[in-house]
Amino acid sequence: MRRGGKALILVMDGVGDRPTEALEFRTPLQVARKPNMNWCARHGSNGIMDVIAPGVPPGSDTSHLAILGYDPSEVYTGRGPFEAVGVGLTGKNGDVAFRCNFATVDDEWNILDRRAGRIGGPETVELSNVLGKIRIKGVKIIVKEATEHRAVLLLRGKELSPFVSDVDPHLLARVAKSTPLVPKAKKTAKAVNDFVRESYLVLKNHPINQKRVDQGKPPANILLPRGAGSFPRIQSIKDKYGVESACVAGVSLVKGVCGLCGMEVVEVTGATGGLDTDMNAKANAALKLLDSKDLVLVNVKAADIASHDGNHEKKVEVIERLDRMVGLIRGSVSPDTIIVLLADHCTPVQLGDHSGDPVPVSICSNNTSKDGVEAFDEVSASLGGLGRIRGKDLMPILLDKMNMSKKFGS
Ligand code: ZN
Ligand code: ZN
């Protein structure tokens, strides 16, 4: 059997951008000093990619699904299940999962702080345990803390539906009621509302909150679910492509997507999912994984965070750190390893959110024809030989370069 090289996909979350006046109408990728990324561009095929479809701003969950070759419109109903897997909760088909915030409300359920003073650590572990003991008729409740003020709620029972509205109004307003978006979601909406009411009753006088009030901190006196989703039946990457794969990521959402796709999700000390993440530790973990895996996906969130914060200088600085990470990778991988550089979506700093612009992509390998592109950025990549592809095209192209594609016809 023909056997090809291995592949490492480096997803630089939100690194793509638009030209901006603050950078003399260039993008952060065009401004940053990045000799290693440019080396990859020079030694590879380059192009731009509509991760979902032209003009559609992807979330980090749907974008990773598309990059891995799945159709988000088939497997994605909401963010909850991906977040759940990311924090180590294994859901079953039929379960409905929600992302939640511990929040602070007054007696009338007006939200005073959507993040309860960014509570976290042992306090949310304890409060999540307490909430997991809530009993709702016909529905099993599972609650697990996530990072900072976040948690995951999982409902298990018969005839549950993900098609219910959010309880979290996403702003400082009154707590919303969950409503069924389809008739068969009535039971689920009722269970959510019952749970939220119980969460308030259990939390409002809990000793942890009494202590927080004494200390002048906002109490975490309610749990607000949002982003309901059902656990999809996803064919694993192994079954789909016949490759052994793994993922290195800091943020639970990306870990969840990769976990649900059957990739081994590796915990790396120092991979925080924040601006302070240890990029070298991630690179080293990925390099080690390549010994036993065919495909390794590494996600670094930092550029997306700098973009949401509206900070150009920070984004340029993050790109230069990412470049040193690329340097470490390209200096250590075997020559037949394919390195893919891309973003999962553009997050223009000026917009402070994801946009539907295509992202730059570079596939750097020994058996790729060079296309004359000299730099890794939005403009240079658009002139490359890959042309304009969609997210779902990436895996077939990659498998072919790995000599693992199947012939169509005889
Ligand atoms: Zn993203
Ligand atoms: Zn983002």
Side-chain angles (χ1 to χ4, degrees):
M1 181 188 153
R2 292 180 305 156
R3 186 78 191 174
K6 304 187 170 206
L8 185 150
I9 303 177
L10 176 59
V11 182
M12 299 180 279
D13 209 300
V15 82
D17 212 300
R18 291 172 176 169
T20 176
E21 198 172 355
L23 300 175
E24 295 170 339
F25 296 101
R26 289 177 301 162
T27 67
L29 270 176
Q30 286 180 305
V31 168
R33 228 187 71 79
K34 43 174 185 43
N36 294 300
M37 290 186 206
N38 293 348
W39 185 91
C40 289
R42 275 200 306 280
H43 290 82
S45 287
N46 301 272
I48 51 174
M49 181 164 85
D50 295 296
V51 181
I52 310 276
V56 177
S60 287
D61 37 20
T62 51
S63 65
H64 280 76
L65 284 169
I67 287 166
L68 292 169
Y70 296 88
D71 181 351
S73 65
E74 264 177 30
V75 295
Y76 186 82
T77 54
R79 184 164 168 164
F82 300 98
E83 203 73 45
V85 174
V87 299
L89 275 184
T90 323
K92 295 197 289 198
N93 201 248
D95 291 351
V96 176
F98 300 77
R99 309 172 68 206
C100 305
N101 272 13
F102 280 100
T104 310
V105 292
D106 66 13
D107 297 345
E108 308 276 290
W109 283 25
N110 295 302
I111 300 172
L112 306 175
D113 185 340
R114 280 190 69 233
R115 302 179 180 88
R118 289 198 183 267
I119 188 177
E123 289 183 319
T124 50
V125 175
E126 169 70 23
L127 296 179
S128 300
N129 281 340
V130 170
L131 293 176
K133 296 192 177 104
I134 289 176
R135 296 278 169 266
I136 304 286
K137 199 164 177 271
V139 180
K140 186 172 165 48
I141 301 286
I142 300 163
V143 180
K144 176 112 168 74
E145 70 287 349
T147 48
E148 292 187 315
H149 52 278
R150 300 179 192 92
V152 171
L153 165 68
L154 207 132
L155 302 182
R156 180 166 293 163
K158 288 200 180 90
E159 290 159 8
L160 294 175
S161 162
F163 300 107
V164 293
S165 68
D166 291 349
V167 167
D168 184 347
H170 300 262
L171 44 86
L172 294 182
R174 207 158 181 277
V175 173
K177 257 199 160 10
S178 180
T179 51
L181 304 174
V182 294
K184 64 172 189 182
K186 259 188 196 161
K187 176 185 171 181
T188 312
K190 184 177 181 311
V192 172
N193 291 324
D194 289 351
F195 170 80
V196 172
R197 195 180 54 249
E198 288 296 316
S199 81
Y200 176 72
L201 295 175
V202 168
L203 294 176
K204 70 172 178 175
N205 293 321
H206 191 278
I208 285 180
N209 279 327
Q210 284 174 349
K211 198 168 154 204
R212 285 180 68 81
V213 172
D214 290 346
Q215 292 169 337
K217 292 180 187 164
N221 58 10
I222 201 162
L223 195 73
L224 301 179
R226 67 181 192 276
S230 57
F231 278 83
R233 265 187 241 271
I234 287 188
Q235 192 188 16
S236 73
I237 297 241
K238 170 90 185 170
D239 289 348
K240 200 169 161 70
Y241 305 118
V243 297
E244 298 290 345
S245 62
C247 144
V248 177
V251 281
S252 56
L253 184 64
V254 174
K255 288 185 197 171
V257 170
C258 293
L260 270 175
C261 296
M263 302 175 90
E264 184 182 332
V265 179
V266 181
E267 293 296 331
V268 178
T269 313
T272 60
L275 281 168
D276 61 345
T277 198
D278 186 341
M279 295 186 195
N280 285 355
K282 280 183 159 175
N284 285 325
L287 290 166
K288 192 152 167 263
L289 282 165
L290 281 170
D291 289 341
S292 56
K293 306 289 181 187
D294 305 303
L295 175 73
V296 177
L297 182 145
V298 185
N299 172 286
V300 182
K301 189 75 179 164
D304 189 56
I305 297 171
S307 311
H308 282 286
D309 288 349
N311 192 332
H312 292 107
E313 291 80 32
K314 189 55 109 189
K315 187 162 185 178
V316 170
E317 192 189 305
V318 166
I319 293 169
E320 294 183 348
R321 276 173 63 205
L322 279 164
D323 188 73
R324 290 193 283 278
M325 179 187 183
V326 174
L328 173 61
I329 291 168
R330 84 171 176 89
S332 311
V333 291
S334 66
D336 64 346
T337 301
I338 302 163
I339 302 173
V340 183
L341 303 181
L342 49 74
D344 56 340
H345 46 76
C346 290
T347 312
V349 172
Q350 231 173 2
L351 190 64
D353 209 342
H354 305 183
S355 72
D357 299 294
V359 300
V361 50
S362 182
I363 301 179
C364 173
S365 87
N366 269 346
N367 58 3
T368 295
S369 345
K370 324 285 174 261
D371 56 16
V373 170
E374 294 279 325
F376 181 77
D377 62 62
E378 300 82 349
V379 181
S380 306
S382 73
L383 305 171
L386 266 186
R388 185 166 185 157
I389 59 172
R390 292 206 180 185
K392 65 179 179 185
D393 299 326
L394 182 71
M395 279 305 295
I397 293 172
L398 213 49
L399 288 168
D400 190 50
K401 297 229 177 285
M402 292 161 82
N403 297 332
M404 294 174 78
S405 52
K406 287 195 186 79
K407 194 191 288 179
F408 178 52
S410 58

